[in-house]
Amino acid sequence: MKEKIQPNQNLEQEILAAAEDLFLERGYARTSAVEIAKRVGCNQALVHYYFRTKENLFNTIFVQKNLLFLQTMESFEEQDLPFEEMISRFIKMQFNFFITHDKRLAYFILDELVRNPVRLDSQLSAMKRLFKSSKGLEMRLQKEIAEGRVRKMTFFDLAVTIITLNSALFVSRPIIIKLLDISEEEYTALIKLRCQENIEIILRSLRP
Amino acid sequence: MKEKIQPNQNLEQEILAAAEDLFLERGYARTSAVEIAKRVGCNQALVHYYFRTKENLFNTIFVQKNLLFLQTMESFEEQDLPFEEMISRFIKMQFNFFITHDKRLAYFILDELVRNPVRLDSQLSAMKRLFKSSKGLEMRLQKEIAEGRVRKMTFFDLAVTIITLNSALFVSRPIIIKLLDISEEEYTALIKLRCQENIEIILRSLRP
DNA sequence: ATTATCTATAGATCTATAGATAATGC
DNA sequence: ATTATCTATAGATCTATAGATAATGC
């Protein structure tokens, strides 16, 4: 009855991929090992054979995605550019990250950190590392302020503004698509326009 | 062994209250009828006696909260004020709403709409009604633009900016508290400061 | 011989309900 | 007599593992 489409040279990877897709779509609590197996077309026991526990499987994916995000942000270094140009590139980089990887990534990470205190604890040090690595940016902001090119503001506020405006349409993806009754392509187009709008808003928010 | 603290004149209300708190904290999937009963100090069967199904109980709470939010937004009417003053008041109103009702409300509504397509469908008409009732605001925006007092922008973009900036710190509450290692009181203070920052950013985003 | 896959099932929840008992309203 | 509360349990998942069988690597 059930047929294999692919010669399963690497079922472990297929399970990981199916799990990733389901976890991104529904989160930890609403996804079961049975569903993951069904999607792959294999037995549910195999999910545990390769990953031992559901928690373990989820954690593998979550940590990988979260580190990918944090490290991509961390790796941003354009210190020789004018401040506005730098901010503008950072915004574009963040949009690009979600578009090229997965549009559901922002909500996936947010949800797990908000709803699972244990996971939040386990990711704290990685998140604080990002905070520290952004000291350069913070110094830069202070310098711009001191020299009168940027209005007085805290680095925290700027970070909140950028991150939330940039993740807004990704986080609310299912709502936006349904409410505006648009296709995935139209949604992507909307997001790209929004990137420009965010740059506009954020640069304006910086000016003295 | 188990003692009643209160004379349960209205156990139904107590169950509702406990369910509300747990659902707000953990969402639908991570909350069980057993936990709700445990918190109230009664038998789990009573949860079903009063509300028949978990879905029904959740839906009662969700619809009430979502309508409360939508109607509060809808009821905003200050058409005789200058545009900037109007926007500023709207922002304050939204902050006030979450602070006085429940800081977890924003994430509660967002999460359910994002993760449960059935619920999203069921709330669509109510949400579209808000969209329609805001036509007045939209006209006002177009008028301001036409008369050169506001830069060219879509109503959709303005709405996204306001809603996301305003819900940002509420939505990320557990992360913020943990990351900054602050108390609930310090968190509330932070939020109030953020309200001012949002007004600043949004008003700046409007200027020609 | 080892590793991958399957079948079968134990054990843990969890939702929902049936049926017994206690409390309350006439 | 009706309504509220409890005990007990059926039935549906779901996770995890034990043990059988098939596939693969020497």
Side-chain angles (χ1 to χ4, degrees):
Chain A
M1 185 188 173
K2 207 171 290 175
E3 295 174 51
K4 301 285 168 55
I5 290 99
Q6 292 262 338
N8 290 353
Q9 20 53 301
N10 207 341
L11 200 46
E12 184 174 354
Q13 291 308 310
E14 282 189 50
I15 291 172
L16 198 64
E20 185 179 313
D21 190 57
L22 281 166
F23 283 141
L24 276 164
E25 193 68 24
R26 308 189 200 167
Y28 182 86
R30 295 177 124 115
T31 304
S32 76
V34 178
E35 284 173 293
I36 294 167
K38 198 193 295 169
R39 178 159 304 193
V40 174
C42 73
N43 194 280
Q44 170 268 332
L46 277 183
V47 176
H48 287 88
Y49 173 72
Y50 283 114
F51 298 95
R52 206 167 48 78
T53 67
K54 177 184 164 185
E55 161 61 29
N56 202 42
L57 173 56
F58 184 89
N59 198 56
T60 303
I61 293 164
F62 184 83
V63 169
Q64 191 241 315
K65 296 297 175 193
N66 194 33
L67 283 187
L68 182 68
F69 175 70
L70 294 177
Q71 283 168 2
T72 306
M73 298 305 114
E74 239 170 285
S75 71
F76 181 81
E77 290 277 351
E78 313 260 5
Q79 290 164 333
D80 42 354
L81 288 171
F83 195 62
E84 290 208 349
E85 179 62 22
M86 205 173 112
I87 295 292
S88 172
R89 290 203 191 180
F90 183 81
I91 295 167
K92 283 179 193 155
M93 193 263 287
Q94 215 172 54
F95 265 79
N96 245 333
F97 176 82
F98 288 128
I99 289 175
T100 54
H101 286 90
D102 196 304
K103 289 165 197 154
R104 302 166 299 179
L105 215 48
Y107 194 79
F108 171 72
I109 294 173
L110 175 69
D111 185 45
E112 189 62 19
L113 294 180
V114 164
R115 283 281 157 82
N116 188 343
V118 177
R119 195 92 51 200
L120 177 55
D121 277 343
S122 81
Q123 298 302 302
L124 258 197
S125 60
M127 291 165 74
K128 283 185 174 163
R129 207 174 309 128
L130 172 60
F131 242 54
K132 266 171 204 142
S133 84
S134 61
K135 282 287 170 208
L137 263 169
E138 185 168 359
M139 303 284 270
R140 180 68 192 272
L141 173 68
Q142 297 311 337
K143 187 163 168 272
E144 297 291 318
I145 293 172
E147 293 172 6
R149 285 187 299 274
V150 165
R151 82 170 158 104
K152 205 163 176 302
M153 64 168 65
T154 65
F155 181 65
F156 176 77
D157 270 323
L158 177 58
V160 167
T161 305
I162 294 177
I163 294 170
T164 58
L165 282 180
N166 285 355
S167 46
L169 290 192
F170 294 104
V171 156
S172 58
R173 177 172 158 279
I175 303 173
I176 298 288
I177 287 180
K178 209 47 180 216
L179 202 61
L180 302 186
D181 191 25
I182 56 180
S183 67
E184 189 68 36
E185 289 70 34
E186 291 170 304
Y187 167 70
T188 306
L190 194 71
I191 280 184
K192 284 176 180 161
L193 283 176
R194 184 68 204 185
C195 180
Q196 286 309 312
E197 175 71 11
N198 283 357
I199 291 171
E200 182 71 34
I201 295 172
I202 292 162
L203 293 188
R204 280 160 168 265
S205 82
L206 291 169
R207 287 166 197 156
Chain B
M1 186 186 172
K2 206 170 290 177
E3 294 174 53
K4 301 284 166 56
I5 289 101
Q6 292 261 340
N8 290 353
Q9 20 53 301
N10 206 340
L11 200 46
E12 183 174 355
Q13 291 308 309
E14 281 188 52
I15 290 171
L16 198 64
E20 184 178 314
D21 190 58
L22 281 166
F23 283 141
L24 277 165
E25 192 68 25
R26 308 190 201 167
Y28 183 84
R30 296 178 124 114
T31 304
S32 77
V34 178
E35 283 174 294
I36 294 167
K38 199 194 294 169
R39 177 159 306 193
V40 174
C42 74
N43 194 280
Q44 171 268 330
L46 277 184
V47 177
H48 287 88
Y49 173 73
Y50 283 115
F51 299 95
R52 207 169 45 79
T53 67
K54 178 184 163 184
E55 162 61 29
N56 202 43
L57 173 56
F58 183 89
N59 198 55
T60 303
I61 294 165
F62 185 84
V63 169
Q64 190 241 317
K65 295 299 174 191
N66 194 33
L67 282 187
L68 182 67
F69 175 70
L70 294 176
Q71 283 168 0
T72 306
M73 297 305 113
E74 239 170 286
S75 71
F76 181 81
E77 291 276 350
E78 312 261 5
Q79 290 165 332
D80 43 353
L81 287 171
F83 195 61
E84 291 208 349
E85 180 61 22
M86 205 174 113
I87 295 290
S88 171
R89 289 203 191 180
F90 183 82
I91 295 166
K92 283 180 192 156
M93 192 262 288
Q94 216 171 55
F95 265 79
N96 244 333
F97 176 83
F98 289 128
I99 289 176
T100 55
H101 286 90
D102 197 303
K103 289 165 197 155
R104 299 165 301 180
L105 214 49
Y107 194 79
F108 172 71
I109 294 172
L110 176 69
D111 185 46
E112 190 61 19
L113 294 180
V114 165
R115 282 281 158 81
N116 188 344
V118 177
R119 195 93 51 200
L120 178 55
D121 277 343
S122 81
Q123 298 302 300
L124 258 196
S125 60
M127 291 165 74
K128 283 186 174 163
R129 208 174 310 128
L130 172 60
F131 242 54
K132 267 173 203 138
S133 84
S134 61
K135 281 288 170 210
L137 264 169
E138 185 168 359
M139 303 285 270
R140 180 69 192 272
L141 174 67
Q142 297 311 338
K143 186 162 169 272
E144 297 291 317
I145 293 173
E147 293 172 6
R149 285 187 299 275
V150 165
R151 82 169 159 105
K152 205 163 176 302
M153 63 168 67
T154 65
F155 181 65
F156 176 77
D157 269 325
L158 178 58
V160 166
T161 305
I162 294 177
I163 294 170
T164 58
L165 282 180
N166 285 354
S167 46
L169 290 192
F170 295 104
V171 157
S172 58
R173 177 173 159 278
I175 303 174
I176 297 288
I177 287 180
K178 211 36 177 224
L179 202 61
L180 303 186
D181 191 25
I182 56 180
S183 68
E184 190 68 36
E185 290 69 35
E186 291 169 305
Y187 166 70
T188 306
L190 193 71
I191 279 183
K192 284 176 179 160
L193 283 175
R194 185 67 205 185
C195 180
Q196 286 310 312
E197 175 71 10
N198 283 357
I199 292 172
E200 182 71 35
I201 294 172
I202 292 161
L203 293 189
R204 280 161 169 263
S205 83
L206 291 169
R207 288 167 195 155

